[in-house]
Amino acid sequence: MGLELYLDLLSQPCRAIYIFAKKNCIPFQLHTVELRQGQHLSDAFARVNPLKKVPAMKDGDFTLVESVAILLYLARKYKVPDHWYPQDLQVRARVDEYLAWQHTTLRRSCLRALWHKVMFPVFLGEPVSPELLAATLADLDVNLQVLEDNFLQNKAFLAGPQISLADLVAITELMHPVGAGCQVFESRPKLAAWRRRVEAAVGEDLFREANEVILKAKDSTPVDPTIKQKMMPGVLAMIR
Ligand code: GTX
């Protein structure tokens, strides 16, 4: 059996892996694990990832979880163009720097923005307080400013003149608040121009395809109460 990817494109790290594999013509079998149906909690999926989270990858008998590890595995195994994860020591270190930073900062605030603005009210039927929503959006704003000032600076892409894994991870993160209807790019022309460059480098059709689910997140139908009850501990741990 060749490469198998277990994904739900509602999830940011899954979108990054999906775009990367498709863009680089890496052949894979897609197993969709619908988070909103609780499929990640099934016994069958627990045999792939005992942590019950997407993304997950199988390459023959080898199983790997954690999106950054999966992206690096694919970049190293397949002959992808150098710009994705450059051989140059210092440019590569810039990519690593972003990948290390994002997990507990931008990624977290984008995830919280999605849950606090859309998922709790629409998907779980419980709006959050205006104070909590305001704090979440303020935190997102701080991290967007760091992305712009400290990482993008005056470059075309986060690690230099060409697109890398850092841009892919960042843009897929930002599609969470965009899908939730937050103003991410409207008052940030520099980030908006960067988004257009990333979209052009990825290809507009692939970008649209990968983001279709998140852009429709607002229309999510309420989840079955049994699934909701099973998912709540995971959800609360994810967004705390
Ligand atoms: N550090 C891991 C990685 O980068 O791969 C994190 C994986 C992770 O948290 N996956 C989430 C999951 O499977 C999906 S990403 C967030 C999706 C938000 C929308 C959900 C409707 N979570 C399931 C769980 O924790 O129960």
Side-chain angles (χ1 to χ4, degrees):
M1 185 58 92
L3 184 71
E4 297 171 82
L5 296 176
Y6 295 78
L7 310 175
D8 180 341
L9 295 182
L10 191 66
S11 140
Q12 170 273 318
C14 294
R15 291 196 291 277
I17 290 169
Y18 183 81
I19 292 176
F20 185 70
K22 285 271 185 180
K23 177 68 189 168
N24 289 293
C25 302
I26 297 172
F28 66 93
Q29 188 185 348
L30 176 65
H31 300 282
T32 300
V33 181
E34 288 258 6
L35 290 166
R36 283 174 291 187
Q37 313 236 340
Q39 290 177 357
H40 58 301
L41 303 174
S42 71
D43 292 344
F45 183 62
R47 283 192 284 279
V48 178
N49 183 3
L51 300 178
K52 301 184 178 178
K53 285 180 191 289
V54 287
M57 183 206 90
K58 280 182 77 173
D59 191 9
D61 291 337
F62 179 69
T63 304
L64 191 65
V65 300
E66 283 298 325
S67 55
V68 169
I70 295 172
L71 284 167
L72 295 179
Y73 179 87
L74 297 179
R76 287 168 176 143
K77 171 166 178 173
Y78 295 91
K79 299 278 166 264
V80 302
D82 183 70
H83 61 79
W84 286 110
Y85 193 54
Q87 290 294 329
D88 180 281
L89 179 68
Q90 293 185 354
V91 186
R92 179 168 286 200
R94 284 278 165 252
V95 178
D96 292 338
E97 185 180 45
Y98 180 77
L99 296 178
W101 176 75
Q102 53 85 27
H103 251 301
T104 52
T105 50
L106 188 63
R107 166 138 196 247
R108 182 173 175 273
S109 54
C110 289
L111 186 62
R112 285 167 67 90
L114 175 71
W115 275 92
H116 290 165
K117 201 159 157 62
V118 164
M119 289 301 185
F120 275 128
V122 172
F123 177 71
L124 298 177
E126 291 167 30
V128 300
S129 71
E131 293 77 20
L132 178 57
L133 182 57
T136 296
L137 297 180
D139 180 58
L140 173 63
D141 217 47
V142 168
N143 285 319
L144 287 171
Q145 203 58 47
V146 175
L147 177 69
E148 188 170 321
D149 295 344
N150 298 56
F151 288 94
L152 184 57
Q153 300 170 345
N154 290 315
K155 305 187 293 294
F157 294 97
L158 298 181
Q162 284 186 284
I163 189 168
S164 73
L165 287 177
D167 300 280
L168 199 51
V169 169
I171 197 70
T172 49
E173 274 158 355
L174 295 191
M175 295 315 284
H176 259 23
V178 169
C182 300
Q183 309 280 299
V184 170
F185 296 106
E186 284 70 1
S187 58
R188 297 180 183 277
K190 211 163 147 181
L191 276 191
W194 164 78
R195 174 190 170 163
R196 287 192 292 275
R197 287 193 290 274
V198 174
E199 263 189 69
V202 161
E204 283 177 15
D205 288 348
L206 176 56
F207 191 79
R208 194 174 314 113
E209 182 196 335
N211 288 303
E212 222 168 11
V213 180
I214 190 67
L215 293 176
K216 288 190 187 144
K218 286 200 283 303
D219 311 325
S220 295
T221 48
V223 165
D224 179 293
T226 338
I227 296 175
K228 175 177 146 180
Q229 205 181 12
K230 278 212 249 167
M231 283 180 71
M232 276 320 281
V235 168
L236 294 174
M238 246 187 329
I239 62 166
R240 70 170 177 261

